[in-house]
Amino acid sequence: MASKSCCRTFTALERVLMVLFVLMTGVSVGLIIVMAVSRSSDTTDLLTTTPAPPPTGPEKPKPSEKPKPSEKPSDTSYQIGVGRADCTGPVAEVPLMGYASPDQTAGGIHTRLYSRAFIVANNSERVVFVSADIGMVSQRLRLEVLKKLQTKYGDLYRQENVVLSGTHTHSGPGGYFQYTLFIITSKGYIKPSINAIVNGIVKSIDIAHGNLKAGRIFLNKGEVENSNLNRSPHSYLNNPEEERRKYKSNTDKELVVLKMVDSDGNGLGLLSWFAVHPVSMNNTNRMVSSDNMGYASYLFEQEMNAGSLPGQGPFVAAFSSSNLGDVSPNTKGPHCINTGESCDNINSSCPIGGSNMCMAIGPGVDMFESTKIIGGTIFNKAKELYRTAQQEVTGPLNAAHQWVNMTDVTVQLNATHTGKTCKPALGHSFAAGTIDGVGGLNFTQGSVEGDPFWDGIRDALLGSPSNETQDCHHPKPILFSTGEMNVPLPWHPAIVDVQIITIGSLAIVAIPGEFTTMAGRRMREAVKNELESRGSLGQVEVVIAGLCNIYTHYITTYEEYQIQRYEAASNIYGPHSLSAYIQLFSSLARAIAENKVADLPKGPEPPFFNNSQLISLLPLNPVDKTPLNTSFGDVLIQTLQSYKRGEVVEVTFVSGNPRNSADMAEKTFLTVEKYENMTNSWKVVHTDASWETRFHWNKGTGGQSNVTVEWHVPSTAHPGTYRIQHFGHYKERPSFPPVMKPYEGSSGSFEIYN
């Protein structure tokens, strides 16, 4: 390893970076102090066109892609239940989870977030799959959900048969983790945030449970073009050429769709999986948003629940994550934002400005248009696949689950060699970020050696990694040896969920993190071989479900790990992580195929830390105040008198802090209303869950704030008289409990014309 001199004069930038590093240490020390003080207290059919199509129409399926119908209908029908519930949470001041930037805090709503639940049952078993519009499922979140389900349903819904998956939007509220690394980047453990997600997931399961009815399931799949790009192609190219030749692309373009109907053929829901990062909304965004996959759900549900407002209606459509670890939606690729030249190199670095200038964009002119194009393209393909689905899914239901200590798994690499997983650690390239969101410091991707400057600061403040951990993670240069950092709580999990559920000949592999493209392909092949060679399921379709049950960052192939780009540097259990997971999931598949699930050891249970150990770093809200001679809900900037379709209506209100509105699930901060002459009343046509609206909260000084509501008037808007209303709460005085009072405001009426 080449050496670098550590005796040098620090530049101004380096001095700033040292201050930032010291501040991070200060946060850790603060956590320890708070811990010491608090520990004593508590140790439906689709024939119409898309309402918002992308520039190009959906690709017609190739003859070879079209599934063949079953030879005869199933003699046994499943019981199927679907449900959807709001899980948005706080929309102000809470860090958004995904880009790991504490400064990227929520300041409004682009779209609401939903949990979508699907239950499939027969006479002897049932399985649950939940796809939630959140960054990822944390261990704490899963444990809280399972506790509530146990209280309500006993052992009906339990760790073996409930899969919780996050869509991986990077624009959902954080603060729902119990490990220190995530506590630091999310401003602590934020109860309003985790409560909203837990309650939303449980409610969606409640609704699905209450809606169970006889039904049938059909599977279809096809390729979605122009919607994803491999953001680490140099890592992918390090995989064996013979293996790469088996695939025509360095990303998985296949969209897998389950069509669920009742016994009369009426649509109940759609559950699908596709590999793409929901990062069309970039790290400059400050609004809560479900991003591109959420927009696909929005379009499908709006079409199937015609006449209903977003988030309402019986049909539920989920677009779930898959092996998206190295997959970007920014299809124009990486370019230097200062010069425009390509920076598609192994370090994602620009000649001027380095890695901080290298970013991927597109396909739209801004993040909103890109979200719309990617989500619309996926929706169009799903709509086609749903309409043409003929391959019926039939057969038994199975569920297998284990907890595993991922820091100590021995992997049988071949007949003569073994490997081991490692204690968690993050490499230097982790701090570089990706072309979808750069890290902001002077780190680069592809670093296979450390930096004496940063390593020296780390050693002085946090301690140096042990020789054992460094050797285990080689060639990763360790930045944070998180598996050896346990103050005030462990920085990373050791106990991890592995889980498979099967619905007939469909196997859903619940991955506890972000698999890269090739990692997902290897896992699918291994599980498929186990199920088909040992059992009676026949030809099996294996789906990778990403971001499930607990978050363990990224999982790359061994070969990709050697390149040490962001994904590999974030592969926390070391170079043999994928081999370990394949071994573990193959064991689950073997148990299902041989009907020996009951013989599987449960494994070591994960910790469930006391609430007193989980602290919030989010400051309390001050009392809300208004400008002189105004009241909450008053209009500060009024609308114009008239607008054309395609224009943007804006109105600004005196507001309280949206955090003071507490539980706003299934509610709205705004409405767009049309005056109905026939009934002499106002009809709600849009809410803050609508794609066409945007809710911006602007924090002022001295407790003052305001909100600006935008309505992007669609081409489908009917001419007439409209108004915009805003709803919220303000904090009246400091007390315990604090006094929150509701308020509302209304714009003047305005006209929409052709």
Side-chain angles (χ1 to χ4, degrees):
M1 181 180 297
S3 64
K4 299 181 182 179
S5 173
C6 60
C7 299
R8 55 187 173 89
T9 301
F10 298 139
T11 66
L13 173 61
E14 289 171 331
R15 288 196 294 270
V16 170
L17 296 175
M18 289 179 67
V19 171
L20 290 174
F21 212 104
V22 171
L23 286 176
M24 178 179 174
T25 305
V27 171
S28 300
V29 172
L31 285 168
I32 297 169
I33 294 171
V34 173
M35 274 290 304
V37 173
S38 62
R39 196 179 292 258
S40 61
S41 63
D42 183 6
T43 48
T44 267
D45 204 15
L46 290 164
L47 296 174
T48 60
T49 58
T50 168
T56 58
E59 178 190 340
K60 297 298 182 183
K62 299 179 179 67
S64 60
E65 294 174 340
K66 186 174 180 180
K68 298 179 180 180
S70 303
E71 293 183 3
K72 62 179 181 179
S74 170
D75 294 329
T76 305
S77 65
Y78 296 125
Q79 293 286 313
I80 301 170
V82 301
R84 176 188 54 249
D86 190 340
C87 64
T88 302
V91 300
E93 299 185 306
V94 174
L96 299 179
M97 187 65 207
Y99 292 108
S101 172
D103 294 329
Q104 190 191 11
T105 55
I109 296 180
H110 176 223
T111 56
R112 281 197 169 262
L113 311 180
Y114 291 96
S115 171
R116 296 173 171 89
F118 302 81
I119 301 176
V120 182
N122 59 20
N123 292 332
S124 59
E125 184 58 273
R126 63 184 58 203
V127 294
V128 183
F129 188 91
V130 175
S131 177
D133 291 328
I134 58 176
M136 61 284 290
V137 175
S138 74
Q139 186 176 81
R140 181 70 179 206
L141 175 60
R142 176 170 167 83
L143 293 174
E144 294 278 10
V145 168
L146 290 173
K147 277 179 62 179
K148 285 205 166 193
L149 292 176
Q150 170 71 29
T151 301
K152 283 191 172 191
Y153 300 104
D155 292 333
L156 191 62
Y157 302 118
R158 56 200 184 275
Q159 70 262 19
E160 291 88 358
N161 67 353
V162 175
V163 177
L164 305 182
S165 174
T167 61
H168 203 35
T169 175
H170 284 42
S171 296
Y176 55 93
F177 294 81
Q178 67 174 6
Y179 292 98
T180 300
L181 180 72
F182 305 112
I183 286 176
I184 291 174
T185 58
S186 299
K187 293 187 179 179
Y189 181 75
I190 302 170
K191 288 188 177 180
S193 184
I194 189 167
N195 288 345
I197 303 172
V198 170
N199 293 339
I201 290 175
V202 172
K203 184 176 180 181
S204 68
I205 294 174
D206 288 341
I207 295 171
H209 178 84
N211 287 338
L212 280 167
K213 60 181 68 176
R216 301 168 71 184
I217 301 173
F218 298 88
L219 184 147
N220 207 351
K221 54 186 179 179
E223 292 193 353
V224 183
E225 296 293 345
N226 305 313
S227 291
N228 61 16
L229 168 145
N230 194 305
R231 69 187 188 188
S232 288
H234 298 278
S235 299
Y236 180 88
L237 285 172
N238 208 43
N239 291 306
E241 181 180 0
E242 181 182 358
E243 181 179 37
R244 288 186 280 113
R245 280 201 302 262
K246 292 162 50 178
Y247 307 98
K248 62 181 181 180
S249 173
N250 61 5
T251 62
D252 281 341
K253 300 181 181 298
E254 191 169 78
L255 172 67
V256 179
V257 166
L258 294 185
K259 174 181 181 178
M260 300 180 180
V261 299
D262 65 17
S263 55
D264 295 322
N266 301 309
L268 297 174
L270 168 141
L271 176 56
S272 66
W273 295 268
F274 184 67
V276 69
H277 255 81
V279 291
S280 293
M281 301 295 291
N282 61 42
N283 60 6
T284 68
N285 173 51
R286 293 295 184 271
M287 291 184 290
V288 170
S289 174
S290 59
D291 213 290
N292 46 43
M293 298 293 268
Y295 184 57
S297 290
Y298 174 90
L299 291 176
F300 215 108
E301 291 178 349
Q302 284 295 98
E303 181 149 327
M304 298 300 288
N305 298 316
S308 297
L309 290 169
Q312 300 178 13
F315 191 94
V316 178
F319 287 78
S320 309
S321 58
S322 191
N323 52 320
L324 48 65
D326 54 357
V327 187
S328 170
N330 297 310
T331 53
K332 290 183 180 179
H335 291 80
C336 300
I337 58 176
N338 51 354
T339 66
E341 62 186 302
S342 173
C343 50
D344 188 11
N345 54 65
I346 194 168
N347 303 119
S348 296
S349 185
C350 296
I352 302 174
S355 60
N356 288 330
M357 290 292 108
C358 183
M359 296 184 67
I361 59 173
V365 297
D366 59 26
M367 59 183 171
F368 299 100
E369 186 179 45
S370 292
T371 301
K372 187 174 184 178
I373 292 172
I374 296 297
T377 302
I378 296 169
F379 158 73
N380 271 333
K381 190 63 181 183
K383 178 179 172 180
E384 172 197 326
L385 295 173
Y386 181 92
R387 177 173 51 84
T388 59
Q390 300 177 58
Q391 179 183 338
E392 187 165 7
V393 177
T394 62
L397 304 175
N398 294 284
H401 172 277
Q402 283 183 303
W403 284 303
V404 179
N405 183 352
M406 273 301 293
T407 71
D408 189 26
V409 178
T410 299
V411 183
Q412 192 67 45
L413 300 175
N414 53 44
T416 59
H417 291 79
T418 62
K420 270 184 108 285
T421 55
C422 315
K423 291 181 179 180
L426 292 164
H428 276 246
S429 294
F430 161 77
T434 74
I435 59 172
D436 293 325
V438 298
L441 300 176
N442 63 334
F443 292 91
T444 60
Q445 295 197 68
S447 297
V448 291
E449 62 181 60
D451 186 314
F453 173 69
W454 289 112
D455 290 346
I457 295 175
R458 175 206 61 207
D459 293 350
L461 300 177
L462 301 172
S464 60
S466 67
N467 290 334
E468 177 188 3
T469 297
Q470 291 187 73
D471 292 343
C472 188
H473 280 271
H474 182 77
K476 178 196 293 177
I478 295 174
L479 182 62
F480 297 119
S481 185
T482 53
E484 298 174 317
M485 298 162 65
N486 296 296
V487 177
L489 293 168
W491 282 51
H492 264 143
I495 309 305
V496 174
D497 297 71
V498 291
Q499 182 182 23
I500 296 177
I501 61 173
T502 65
I503 305 171
S505 58
L506 173 72
I508 301 172
V509 181
I511 299 300
E514 306 179 53
F515 267 36
T516 60
T517 299
M518 192 63 83
R521 289 168 174 171
R522 291 184 188 177
M523 177 64 76
R524 277 198 298 263
E525 184 176 16
V527 171
K528 182 180 176 69
N529 287 341
E530 287 289 344
L531 291 173
E532 291 184 347
S533 64
R534 298 175 181 270
S536 59
L537 295 177
Q539 188 171 353
V540 177
E541 183 73 34
V542 179
V543 166
I544 298 294
L547 291 303
C548 292
N549 301 333
I550 179 175
Y551 187 58
T552 63
H553 296 262
Y554 288 75
I555 300 92
T556 67
T557 68
Y558 178 86
E559 295 82 0
E560 292 164 351
Y561 188 89
Q562 309 308 307
I563 305 301
Q564 279 299 301
R565 281 178 60 82
Y566 173 82
E567 295 82 12
S570 306
N571 189 343
I572 64 174
Y573 300 117
H576 299 302
S577 297
L578 176 60
S579 296
Y581 278 123
I582 288 176
Q583 183 173 290
L584 292 165
F585 280 100
S586 294
S587 177
L588 296 184
R590 192 177 311 120
I592 290 173
E594 297 177 349
N595 197 25
K596 295 180 179 179
V597 171
D599 298 335
L600 288 171
K602 184 178 180 180
E605 291 197 24
F608 186 86
F609 301 123
N610 295 327
N611 282 328
S612 62
Q613 297 175 276
L614 303 169
I615 52 91
S616 173
L617 303 176
L618 198 64
L620 295 175
N621 285 343
V623 171
D624 287 307
K625 296 181 180 179
T626 64
L628 189 63
N629 299 323
T630 64
S631 301
F632 293 102
D634 284 359
V635 174
L636 292 174
I637 303 177
Q638 188 59 268
T639 63
L640 303 178
Q641 291 185 337
S642 62
Y643 298 86
K644 295 179 181 179
R645 294 168 177 165
E647 294 185 332
V648 180
V649 182
E650 288 191 20
V651 56
T652 301
F653 300 91
V654 178
S655 77
N657 188 319
R659 280 175 61 196
N660 292 330
S661 293
D663 185 8
M664 288 290 287
E666 313 297 347
K667 301 174 185 175
T668 183
F669 285 100
L670 68 89
T671 55
V672 177
E673 302 174 4
K674 184 178 183 296
Y675 188 74
E676 299 290 336
N677 293 315
M678 294 290 292
T679 59
N680 294 322
S681 62
W682 292 94
K683 178 185 177 182
V684 176
V685 294
H686 296 293
T687 67
D688 62 16
S690 301
W691 173 263
E692 295 83 359
T693 63
R694 296 174 194 172
F695 175 79
H696 300 276
W697 177 65
N698 309 293
K699 184 178 183 179
T701 60
Q704 295 183 19
S705 63
N706 62 72
V707 300
T708 297
V709 177
E710 295 179 12
W711 178 33
H712 294 245
V713 185
S715 59
T716 55
H718 296 290
T721 302
Y722 290 81
R723 72 178 183 187
I724 292 175
Q725 288 201 291
H726 162 54
F727 309 91
H729 294 78
Y730 64 92
K731 186 175 183 179
E732 186 176 56
R733 65 175 183 271
S735 60
F736 188 80
V739 177
M740 309 295 183
K741 291 196 170 182
Y743 70 89
E744 62 183 71
S746 180
S747 74
S749 60
F750 54 90
E751 299 295 318
I752 298 296
Y753 61 96
N754 295 329

